[in-house]
């Protein structure tokens, strides 16, 4: 396990607060929030889970009292990920945006399928 202050991802203060509230409500306030990549066929999705223990290759990123895990296998695809929590008249949700994924798009050699990643 590596504990690092260098931030791989950005989580807004509003999102950190909401994640902490969710962990508290689930009686998991001392647990970790794990962000990873989940592959379903040719589509890539972000996965966010609550974990009580670290697994081999996990790195801990601290956002105040919120402890976030990222496995080193997922670091390249998560680098630059921005997580926010927005609320408007239609409801509320976490939003995930990774501006670095756009850089992977190449019109000649490949394209994006809409699943959050670009293939070659």
């Amino acid at each position: 396990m590596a504990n690092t202050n260098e931030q791989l991802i950005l989580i807004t203060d509003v999102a950190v607060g909401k994640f902490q509230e969710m962990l508290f409500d689930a009686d998991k306030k001392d647990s970790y929030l794990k962000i990873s990549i989940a592959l379903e066929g040719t589509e890539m999705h972000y996965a966010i889970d609550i974990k009580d223990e670290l697994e081999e290759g996990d790195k801990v990123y601290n956002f105040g009292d919120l402890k976030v895990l990222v496995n080193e296998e997922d670091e390249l695809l998560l680098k630059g990920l921005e997580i926010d929590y927005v609320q408007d008249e239609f409801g509320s949700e976490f939003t995930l945006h990774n501006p670095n994924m756009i850089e992977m798009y190449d019109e000649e050699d490949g394209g994006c399928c809409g699943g959050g990643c670009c293939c070659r």
Side-chain angles (χ1 to χ4, degrees):
M1 169 197 75
N3 194 337
T4 182
N5 288 329
E6 178 184 325
Q7 297 304 334
L8 177 75
I9 61 176
L10 169 71
I11 304 177
T12 66
D13 291 341
V14 174
V16 167
K18 195 58 161 174
F19 282 130
Q20 288 175 316
E21 182 182 315
M22 292 170 60
L23 290 171
F24 183 81
D25 290 347
D27 200 24
K28 299 278 188 173
K29 65 179 180 165
D30 295 323
S31 296
Y32 301 92
L33 192 71
K34 185 164 187 172
I35 302 173
S36 59
I37 300 296
L39 296 174
E40 295 179 13
T42 60
E43 292 188 6
M44 180 191 81
H45 302 276
Y46 296 105
I48 300 176
D49 298 301
I50 298 171
K51 298 290 183 180
D52 293 324
E53 298 177 10
L54 286 88
E55 298 172 355
E56 186 175 331
D58 282 347
K59 290 184 180 179
V60 179
Y61 294 88
N62 296 301
F63 295 86
D65 292 333
L66 180 67
K67 299 172 290 192
V68 175
L69 299 179
V70 173
N71 194 281
E72 55 193 26
E73 293 177 358
D74 292 332
E75 283 184 327
L76 181 63
L77 293 173
L78 291 174
K79 185 172 179 65
L81 177 65
E82 301 168 357
I83 301 175
D84 195 8
Y85 184 80
V86 294
Q87 187 168 2
D88 60 23
E89 62 272 9
F90 302 110
S92 59
E93 65 182 348
F94 287 99
T95 60
L96 289 81
H97 173 70
N98 193 338
N100 292 325
M101 291 305 242
I102 295 169
E103 294 174 11
M104 299 172 119
Y105 180 74
D106 183 339
E107 290 184 21
E108 291 181 22
D109 294 333
C112 296
C113 62
C117 71
C118 297
C119 306
R120 294 184 102 182

